[in-house]
Amino acid sequence: MGAVSESRTVVAGAVIVNARLLLAQRAHPAELAGRWELPGGKVEPGEQDTTALVRELREELAIDVVVGDPVGADVDLGGGLVLRAYRVNVVSGTPAPLEHSALRWVDAAELHTIDLVAADRQWIPDLVALL
Ligand code: CDP
């Protein structure tokens, strides 16, 4: 029973202000808690990436953003999930950790040392090029 499942996209946002990148510290699940990521989440069926990323960052950070260019390559998360990052510009609000443990702004040097989730580490060279 059941249709062959399509891969589901997870979108993540790179907010960069004054040569610093906004990172969010995961509160859950236990195996990822404490590690840092680009904030985002799953695209709903029928939803555009850009719409999903605007929705997720409003829910998670209480900011309104405009979505720009993709950053780096898609990352296969396994389990039918593909992770994709986009540059985003904040148009209103100040980021607040509504669903994360904490937020932090990092420069290029700090990005190399912070405990990023494994998937996001693949974007470090692309992100450094933007900082
Ligand atoms: O909240 P929602 O279920 O929409 O998304 P999530 O749980 O934040 O992310 C879905 C999956 O993408 C999880 O496996 C996360 O670990 C992964 N993810 C990631 O690897 N890197 C990110 N920057 C965001 C999500």
Side-chain angles (χ1 to χ4, degrees), residues 2-64:
V4 174
S5 56
E6 300 291 324
S7 74
R8 179 108 182 246
T9 304
V10 181
V11 286
V15 180
I16 296 171
V17 178
N18 295 332
R20 285 174 187 264
L21 171 71
L22 181 64
L23 293 178
Q25 187 174 38
R26 286 199 68 104
H28 59 84
E31 60 270 23
L32 290 179
R35 302 183 73 187
W36 297 82
E37 68 176 7
L38 299 191
K42 295 189 191 85
V43 178
E44 296 297 335
E47 192 179 35
Q48 298 293 316
D49 285 10
T50 52
T51 311
L53 191 49
V54 168
R55 175 181 54 72
E56 288 285 348
L57 298 189
R58 196 177 281 149
E59 290 172 1
E60 295 187 353
L61 304 175
I63 56 173
D64 278 303

Side-chain angles (χ1 to χ4, degrees), residues 28-105:
H28 59 84
E31 60 270 23
L32 290 179
R35 302 183 73 187
W36 297 82
E37 68 176 7
L38 299 191
K42 295 189 191 85
V43 178
E44 296 297 335
E47 192 179 35
Q48 298 293 316
D49 285 10
T50 52
T51 311
L53 191 49
V54 168
R55 175 181 54 72
E56 288 285 348
L57 298 189
R58 196 177 281 149
E59 290 172 1
E60 295 187 353
L61 304 175
I63 56 173
D64 278 303
V65 301
V66 171
V67 179
D69 292 334
V71 175
D74 290 357
V75 180
D76 186 350
L77 294 176
L81 291 178
V82 173
L83 178 65
R84 182 173 297 151
Y86 292 89
R87 195 71 200 268
V88 302
N89 286 314
V90 179
V91 292
S92 71
T94 300
L98 302 185
E99 297 183 2
H100 288 87
S101 302
L103 301 179
R104 184 173 162 184
W105 294 93

